[in-house]
Amino acid sequence: MEWFILIIFFGFLLLMVLLIGMLLYSLAKQGDERKNFIKAKAMSYTFAIIVGVLLIEIGMSIYMVSVKGQTVEGMSPFIFLVIISIVYLVTLLYNKRKYGN
């Protein structure tokens, strides 16, 4: 059962990488300034959202340790990577639609 979940995670991650690659390839056809602007906007939004997710995770960890006295395990790297790729894909799509052709 664990292999099935791992295959689903890797499949979803591969799908996100392919979709992001296709979007970046389609951006290569546009002018340099617009392409760089769209990618920079997508990266800055993704960075801001990921910092927010990490701050929430830190807050939950502090609460669990100090108030409830429980031990805290770290965030799964697969889930974190999938979250990053989904956020980047969505912001890249949004900015391409807003600033692209």
Side-chain angles (χ1 to χ4, degrees):
M1 185 65 178
E2 291 181 18
W3 286 103
F4 182 70
I5 293 172
L6 190 62
I7 290 171
I8 289 174
F9 274 131
F10 278 124
F12 196 67
L13 186 62
L14 181 65
L15 177 68
M16 290 295 119
V17 168
L18 288 174
L19 289 174
I20 290 170
M22 287 173 29
L23 276 172
L24 291 175
Y25 177 73
S26 71
L27 282 173
K29 296 177 185 174
Q30 296 178 351
D32 287 334
E33 295 85 18
R34 192 170 13 170
K35 173 182 66 173
N36 290 337
F37 179 72
I38 292 170
K39 287 193 295 188
K41 291 281 271 188
M43 285 184 265
S44 65
Y45 287 152
T46 302
F47 180 72
I49 290 172
I50 293 304
V51 166
V53 168
L54 289 174
L55 288 175
I56 290 170
E57 187 70 25
I58 290 170
M60 286 180 10
S61 299
I62 291 171
Y63 174 75
M64 294 298 274
V65 169
S66 63
V67 175
K68 294 199 173 188
Q70 298 176 351
T71 59
V72 178
E73 295 185 22
M75 181 186 282
S76 170
F78 291 118
I79 293 174
F80 190 66
L81 200 54
V82 168
I83 289 172
I84 290 173
S85 62
I86 289 172
V87 168
Y88 185 69
L89 177 66
V90 169
T91 56
L92 194 61
L93 282 171
Y94 173 77
N95 286 317
K96 184 178 180 204
R97 178 174 284 236
K98 186 175 180 180
Y99 300 112
N101 293 2

